[in-house]
């Protein structure tokens, strides 16, 4: 199934801030793309990703799922979050159940699936993330890399079509980063869209097919990765020392 997610002229101010975190942002995605979201700290990347999942509600403009505006009532948000899942930079922000199995099952049960359907979703997501052996462990006893994979499994148990990862690889050792990227590759091969916010230009260059560059709360470039990285001027706007 091809799902289209679109932000149209989205603007959002955080309370007490004089400058908007997002300013007239228009961006769309569909069809199993690998998107690297790049930009310096404070450029608006995290806020954009939260808007995609309905956590942040635009003060002007709108978010559209398959050309239908997201209405922000409970039913509309459930529909959006069945389709678009977010993995945060700090997995402790989304792990709160006593055990790994309970945490992964929370989303499917919240969507109204039966206990049996939720168990099946948990088993499938745990196998994909290679954490079946952790299902009975308490979440507080996990390592950082294990927590990241459990948080990812919790999103995948929702059977989302678009996975958003907000600096989800930050702080992981090279082996764990490799394991998480392998999961992303498997999801991409299934036709799911992956949006990865990262400061790792080398990773983005090697992995992404599309680059979105943000500055000052705006999207200032959307280009095929090969075109973007062939332009030293664009790369310098992220990190002038990585040319």
């Amino acid at each position: 199934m091809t799902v289209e997610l679109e932000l149209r002229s989205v603007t959002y101010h955080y309370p007490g801030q004089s400058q908007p975190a997002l300013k007239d942002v228009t961006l769309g995605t569909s069809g199993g793309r690998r998107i690297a979201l790049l930009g310096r700290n404070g450029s608006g990347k995290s806020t954009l990703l939260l808007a995609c999942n309905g956590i942040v509600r635009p003060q002007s403009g709108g978010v559209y799922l398959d050309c239908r505006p997201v209405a922000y009532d409970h039913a509309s948000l459930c529909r959006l979050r069945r389709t678009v899942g977010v993995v945060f930079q700090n997995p402790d922000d989304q792990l709160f159940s006593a055990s790994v199995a309970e945490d992964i099952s929370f989303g499917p049960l919240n969507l109204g699936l039966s206990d049996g359907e939720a168990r099946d979703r948990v088993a499938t997501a745990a196998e994909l993330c290679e954490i079946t052996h952790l299902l009975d462990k308490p979440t507080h006893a996990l390592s950082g890399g294990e927590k990241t994979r459990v948080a990812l499994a919790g999103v995948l148990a929702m059977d989302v079509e678009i996975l958003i990862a907000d600096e989800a690889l930050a702080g992981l050792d090279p082996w764990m980063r490799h394991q998480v990227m392998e999961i992303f590759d498997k999801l991409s091969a299934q036709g799911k869209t992956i949006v990865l916010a990262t400061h790792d230009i080398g990773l983005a260059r090697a992995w992404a097919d599309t680059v979105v560059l943000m500055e000052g709360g705006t999207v200032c470039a959307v280009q095929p990765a090969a075109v973007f990285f062939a332009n030293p001027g664009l790369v310098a706007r992220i990190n002038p020392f990585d040319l």
Side-chain angles (χ1 to χ4, degrees), residues 46-145:
S46 292
T47 307
L48 183 146
L49 298 182
L50 295 177
C52 288
N53 184 249
I55 297 172
V56 159
R57 180 173 182 172
Q59 287 143 347
S60 64
V63 179
Y64 291 75
L65 185 62
D66 287 338
C67 299
R68 294 168 54 188
V70 174
Y72 297 94
D73 58 89
H74 179 72
S76 294
L77 287 175
C78 282
R79 177 174 176 265
L80 178 64
R81 291 166 186 168
R82 286 190 194 101
T83 306
V84 183
V86 178
V87 180
F88 297 109
Q89 178 175 351
N90 183 355
D92 287 325
D93 290 341
Q94 61 192 112
L95 300 181
F96 51 86
S97 297
S99 74
V100 169
E102 289 177 8
D103 210 282
I104 299 172
S105 68
F106 176 82
L109 291 173
N110 200 44
L111 292 177
L113 273 65
S114 69
D115 289 347
E117 290 172 319
R119 282 194 298 271
D120 289 343
R121 292 278 190 95
V122 169
T124 299
E127 183 176 0
L128 178 60
C129 294
E130 299 182 4
I131 55 169
T132 302
H133 62 293
L134 300 176
L135 287 175
D136 294 327
K137 290 192 69 171
T139 54
H140 70 266
L142 303 175
S143 70

Side-chain angles (χ1 to χ4, degrees), residues 149-167:
R149 284 189 288 162
V150 171
L152 177 57
V155 172
L156 298 184
M158 305 277 281
D159 196 26
V160 298
E161 293 297 322
I162 299 172
L163 174 67
I164 291 171
D166 187 6
E167 297 286 352

Side-chain angles (χ1 to χ4, degrees), residues 34 41 46 55 67 85 88 101 105 118 132 147 157 159 180 183 195 198 223 230 240:
R34 302 182 182 202
N41 288 339
S46 292
I55 297 172
C67 299
F88 297 109
S105 68
T132 302
K147 287 180 178 179
D159 196 26
V180 173
I183 295 169
V195 182
T198 182
Q223 293 185 348

Side-chain angles (χ1 to χ4, degrees), residues 205 208-211 223-231:
R205 191 193 307 265
D209 57 50
T210 303
V211 171
Q223 293 185 348
V227 174
F228 180 89
F229 288 112
N231 187 329

